[in-house]
Each structure stands twice: as structure tokens, then as C-alpha cells.
Amino acid sequence: MEEKELEMAEAGENTEEELTEEAVEESSEEVTEEAGEEAEDETENGEVEEPSVPPYARSGRGIRINGPMLYENSFTVTQEVYQEFLKATLGRYRKIYYVIGAVSFLGGLFPLLGGRLPSAMLCFVITFLCIFLPEKTYRSSKKKNYKQQVEKNGGKPLERRVVFYMSGLEVFSNNGAHSVFRYGDITRITASKSLYVLVVQKKLSLLVLKDSFTKGTLEEWKTFMNKKGLWKVK
């Protein structure tokens, strides 16, 4: 009888321990979920919205970077830097517009020679738009978007610090924004006279100025980056 009572008591204790552990786990999960929801609410309501130009989205949750800092690039996004950024990003689209304009111009010559004036005029209007619209867009964006960026940053130019590690890179801004990326996220690198535009995830643009390396040199960084992806840094 005593042995049976002991077995029943031990079984009861084990059952109580299991129930207690399950209750603790459920309570922990509920607290974690509530904390996550509160953190997301605070992010949506309390954080200062990061400037969209250059467009660095909040990214890198869960991405861990290992190893020491290898290269560092620090700069201020002045109006001249922003102008160079627009030239680098819009340049490829301007070429497309110019090609379409040239084709439309040639396509308008044949209707004109054949006496079909309406068709010729339509082609010439397309040519005009393809040549002058990109330039107008560039000029308006250069002033308007840069002014909006400064206003969103409290009236101060945006400052960036891009840090490169062996396994990834971090971007810090003077507005408190922080992003982390893997090298595999970089889909294209465009070069201009004074900077590089690293296109991340096909839609974000990350700037690296050629004369703003505070750790490492430009040539060392180019060699390092060429080993990290399929793209070429020239």
C-alpha cells in the first residue's frame, strides 16, 4: 500500500510539474507576442520616418554580422552629392528615352514624306517628350526632393556611415536609422564620377563616395567587393 501511495504521489508531482511548465511556456509566449506587438506599434507610431531619398528602408532584422570592421565610408548628403546620385540612377533611363526618341523621329520621317501629316506629328511629339522630359524630371527632382530630404531630417543634411564587414554591411544615419544588408542582397553597382550606387534588393540605393573612406582605401574596397558578388566594381 505504501509503495502504491508513493507511486501515486510521484505521478501527481510529475503531472503538476508538467502543467506548471506548460503554463510558464504559454505565459512566456503570450508575453513575447504582446511585447512584439507593442514594439511594432511603437515603431509605427513613435519612430521618425526615414528619408526616402536616397531610399534606405529599415532592413536587416535577424541578420548577424561577424568579424571586425574592414572598411568605413562616412559622408554628408549635400546637394552636390544628391545631384550626382540622380545622374547615376537616372542616366540609364535617359538613354532608353533617347533611343525611343530617335526611333520615333525616324518613324515620323516616312509618314511626313508620304504626306501623312497627323502620323508624322504624333511621332515628332513622342520624340520631343523623350528628349526633354527626362531633363525636366531631373532638374525638378534635384531641387524638390533634396529639400524634402533635409526637411525630414530636421533641417539638417543627412549624414551616412557605411561599414563593411566580412559577412555584410551596416548603414548608420544621423536621424537614428540603422540598416543591415548581406552582400547577396546587392543586385547591381552603378558608378559615376565621384560615387558608387549599390542597388540593394532591386529597389534600394546605397551610396558609397569614392573620396570618403575613413578606414581602408578605395582600391582595397573595390578588390574586396569584386570578390563578394557577380557584379563588377570599376
Side-chain angles (χ1 to χ4, degrees):
M1 290 291 291
E2 291 180 355
E3 291 179 356
K4 290 183 179 180
E5 288 176 357
L6 286 172
E7 289 175 358
M8 291 176 64
E10 289 175 357
E13 288 176 358
N14 292 336
T15 303
E16 288 177 359
E17 288 176 359
E18 290 174 359
L19 291 173
T20 303
E21 289 175 357
E22 289 176 357
V24 169
E25 289 175 357
E26 290 176 357
S27 176
S28 300
E29 289 175 357
E30 290 174 359
V31 171
T32 303
E33 290 174 357
E34 289 175 0
E37 291 173 357
E38 290 175 1
E40 289 177 359
D41 291 339
E42 289 176 2
T43 300
E44 293 174 358
N45 300 325
E47 277 190 2
V48 178
E49 184 180 359
E50 188 177 358
S52 58
V53 181
Y56 301 154
R58 296 179 184 86
S59 181
R61 292 180 180 179
I63 298 177
R64 293 185 179 182
I65 294 179
N66 300 320
M69 178 178 68
L70 301 177
Y71 305 97
E72 183 181 51
N73 193 268
S74 300
F75 57 91
T76 300
V77 183
T78 62
Q79 191 163 1
E80 290 75 18
V81 171
Y82 183 75
Q83 179 178 344
E84 189 72 19
F85 162 72
L86 282 181
K87 284 183 178 179
T89 53
L90 296 179
R92 57 198 300 262
Y93 299 106
R94 292 172 71 177
K95 291 178 181 178
I96 295 174
Y97 274 107
Y98 292 159
V99 170
I100 295 174
V103 172
S104 297
F105 178 79
L106 294 175
L109 291 178
F110 294 102
L112 182 64
L113 295 175
R116 301 193 302 272
L117 188 60
S119 298
M121 291 298 298
L122 178 61
C123 291
F124 292 150
V125 168
I126 294 175
T127 300
F128 177 83
L129 292 176
C130 288
I131 293 176
F132 292 100
L133 188 60
E135 185 65 25
K136 184 179 180 181
T137 302
Y138 163 71
R139 289 183 178 180
S140 61
S141 298
K142 179 178 65 175
K143 297 180 180 179
K144 182 180 178 181
N145 290 359
Y146 180 76
K147 183 179 179 181
Q148 290 177 348
Q149 178 188 339
V150 173
E151 289 175 351
K152 288 181 179 179
N153 198 39
K156 300 179 295 183
L158 196 62
E159 296 178 4
R160 296 283 190 189
R161 187 167 71 92
V162 188
V163 183
F164 297 86
Y165 303 88
M166 185 61 67
S167 58
L169 58 141
E170 286 184 292
V171 184
F172 301 90
S173 304
N174 64 339
N175 62 358
H178 172 229
S179 298
V180 184
F181 302 103
R182 298 186 180 93
Y183 292 110
D185 295 330
I186 302 174
T187 53
R188 187 177 67 254
I189 298 180
T190 303
S192 70
K193 182 179 179 181
S194 61
L195 56 82
Y196 289 97
V197 180
L198 281 58
V199 181
V200 180
Q201 299 170 353
K202 297 183 179 181
K203 57 183 178 180
L204 309 177
S205 296
L206 171 64
L207 302 186
V208 175
L209 271 62
K210 294 182 178 180
D211 61 352
S212 298
F213 280 92
T214 54
K215 182 176 178 58
T217 66
L218 173 62
E219 294 303 320
E220 291 172 346
W221 176 80
K222 287 164 61 177
T223 301
F224 170 78
M225 292 297 290
N226 282 330
K227 295 178 180 179
K228 285 293 180 182
L230 300 176
W231 16 261
K232 269 291 187 183
V233 183
K234 299 180 181 180

